[in-house]
Every structure is written in structure tokens, then in C-alpha cells.
Amino acid sequence: MEKRQELYAGKAKSVFRTDDPDKMVLVFRDDTSAFDGKRIEQLNRKGMVNNKFNAFIMTKLQEAGIPTHFEACLSDTESLVQSLDMMPIECVVRNVAAGSLCRRLGVTEGQELNPPTFELFLKNDALGDPMINESHVESFGWAKADDLAKAKELTYKVNDVLKALFASGGMILVDYKLEFGLFKGEVVLGDEFSPDGCRLWDSETREKLDKDRFRQGLGNVVESYEEIGRRIGMEFPS
Ligand code: UDP
């Protein structure tokens, strides 16, 4: 599939049009950003690791019956995906309190959340991705009520699949962010799933293995992403 014009460059990925209007190419770059893009660094191998990680997870999710836009890896850092009409919202599920939840509600990091929480954020960099609720989504037309309900159902289903997968590798899935879009009327998981967009802790030591290593300056960021992958059965080229 020929990669054509660049459609969009995000903080860590670029999106290219192809000669098929229904397909796009995602290019995973080494760029890593935090704090709304205020800190950006290049981390060697991160594009490759996240591309392969995302492909592995998306395939697991598809096998579990969750529709995703992922089609195939094209190279170490590129993947072919379906072109979705994206909902401008982020769906976040939390199994354990961390990050913005602790800042917002003053709760202690590490508190178990049972049942897991479901939160929505508007994708809007200028506003700092504000938290919104389901009625905002409907009233402002960001998604139809039944499409949002489907996205929420799929977000929870992803939790069942991935909590078990990461537990098998001795890790706790603390929280994660998903984005959905429509493909020919069907709600489909888009964007990516990588350690950039979730929190994973070692089950025993509670060591942070995800992007919080970058946010908090803990070091060995990409090495830790590869360790997560290896623990769930992935292999990376040396
Ligand atoms: N997240 C993300 N992109 C965003 C905001 C959050 O991938 O723009 C992920 C983040 O990595 C974490 C989860 O969503 O796994 C919940 O993030 P939180 O609301 O705690 O915000 P943060 O502390 O990352 O600012």
C-alpha cells in the first residue's frame, strides 16, 4: 500500500493517506511527549517498540471479538489501518487510582477502584483535554448516544481482555485511554494501545513500567516498554 500525503502529525505518530480512501498508514515516531506537549524528547527505538506493541495488542483484542482499525504491520514503525471517522473523545477506564484522578479528587495513588471507573475527556489541546460527561457528548453532537454506549461497552470489554493478559505477565493494568471512530456505521477501536496510553505496574513491587517513567524522570523508558512486551510473549529485534 503506497503511503501518500501526510494528513496529520500528532505528538508521537503521523498519519498518512493511501491510494485507498478507506485505509491510512500510522507512522510511530520516537518522539515522546508529556504535560500537554510541553516536554518532548526522542527516545531511541520507541517508534518500533510501540508499533509492534500496538499490533500485538490490537490482534489480541480482535481475537476477543473487539473490532479494531488495525490491519497489518507494514514495517518496523508503520502500520496499515482502516480510516475511521473519529469521535473527538477519550474513554478512560481505571482499575486503580493514579494520575489525574488523584490530583482531581485528592485520593491516594494505588487505591483499588471496584467497580472500575469510566471517564470521558474531550480531545482539545487548547483546553487541556477537559473532562466531560455523556450528556455533553450527546448535546454537542460529538457522538450519537448509541455509538457512545457501544464505545463504553467495548472499553469495558477491553479491560476484561487486557487485565487478564497483563496479569499473566505479572502486571496490574492500572488505567488506559482508548479512542473510537466509525467505519461504515460500526463503532471501531482506533488510535493505538501502547505503554504511552496506559499505566502498568509490576504486581509484586508495584514498580511503574509505563509512560510514567518518562513523566516522572525514572529512566529506562523504552527498555521498560520492551520488558512489558516480553512478559506477555512478544519479541523485539535487537
Ligand atoms: N492518557 C493518554 N492520553 C491523554 C491523557 C491520558 O493516553 O491525553 C492515558 C494515560 O496514559 C493514563 C490514562 O489515560 O494511562 C489516564 O490518564 P490521567 O487522566 O490519569 O492523566 P495523566 O495523569 O496522564 O495526565
Side-chain angles (χ1 to χ4, degrees):
M1 183 73 52
E2 274 295 300
K3 202 166 79 191
R4 303 277 180 202
Q5 180 197 358
E6 186 175 72
L7 281 176
Y8 172 77
K11 296 188 192 88
K13 292 191 299 296
S14 302
V15 181
F16 288 81
R17 204 192 293 282
T18 67
D19 42 18
D20 179 343
D22 284 341
K23 297 194 196 312
M24 303 188 314
V25 174
L26 298 185
V27 181
F28 289 75
R29 308 193 313 268
D30 285 346
D31 296 320
T32 312
S33 79
F35 312 118
D36 287 331
K38 286 184 198 79
R39 196 170 135 223
I40 299 176
E41 275 176 42
Q42 296 259 309
L43 297 178
N44 197 27
R45 289 167 67 82
K46 202 198 76 158
M48 178 275 288
V49 168
N50 275 7
N51 182 43
K52 290 183 187 293
F53 195 99
N54 175 64
F56 185 88
I57 296 290
M58 290 283 175
T59 303
K60 290 279 183 206
L61 295 176
Q62 281 168 358
E63 285 166 5
I66 295 161
T68 88
H69 70 158
F70 177 77
E71 299 227 326
C73 270
L74 298 178
S75 74
D76 272 0
T77 57
E78 296 170 312
S79 283
L80 184 68
V81 299
Q82 285 173 335
S83 181
L84 306 184
D85 182 13
M86 295 302 290
M87 304 175 184
I89 57 180
E90 300 183 334
C91 298
V92 171
V93 159
R94 301 176 193 269
N95 296 304
V96 177
S100 74
L101 182 75
C102 297
R103 295 194 293 275
R104 197 171 348 109
L105 300 183
V107 297
T108 311
E109 181 180 86
Q111 182 181 328
E112 266 198 52
L113 302 168
N114 197 6
T117 60
F118 177 80
E119 295 168 355
L120 291 166
F121 297 88
L122 178 67
K123 277 181 73 73
N124 183 320
D125 280 340
L127 297 178
D129 294 348
M131 193 176 187
I132 53 172
N133 67 30
E134 291 173 39
S135 83
H136 293 136
V137 175
E138 220 182 314
S139 298
F140 291 107
W142 292 321
K144 290 207 206 103
D146 53 347
D147 290 338
L148 178 63
K150 185 71 194 176
K152 182 174 178 179
E153 179 194 320
L154 291 172
T155 302
Y156 277 122
K157 197 166 172 192
V158 166
N159 200 31
D160 296 336
V161 177
L162 296 188
K163 252 191 344 186
L165 176 68
F166 290 119
S168 74
M171 292 171 283
I172 302 166
L173 179 59
V174 170
D175 58 30
Y176 57 90
K177 181 267 297 177
L178 302 178
E179 295 180 29
F180 292 88
L182 293 171
F183 187 78
K184 300 186 196 299
E186 188 195 9
V187 177
V188 173
L189 176 61
D191 193 48
E192 68 176 272
F193 192 100
S194 77
D196 274 357
C198 67
R199 288 190 170 93
L200 288 160
W201 295 350
D202 181 274
S203 311
E204 296 293 317
T205 64
R206 302 213 142 199
E207 183 187 5
K208 292 172 178 166
L209 302 170
D210 53 79
K211 191 172 166 184
D212 273 347
R213 298 198 69 82
F214 178 74
R215 295 188 189 99
Q216 300 177 8
L218 301 174
N220 292 330
V221 179
V222 180
E223 292 80 355
S224 182
Y225 287 17
E226 291 184 65
E227 166 70 14
I228 297 169
R230 277 194 293 272
R231 287 189 187 198
I232 54 173
M234 292 183 64
E235 284 175 22
F236 296 98
S238 49

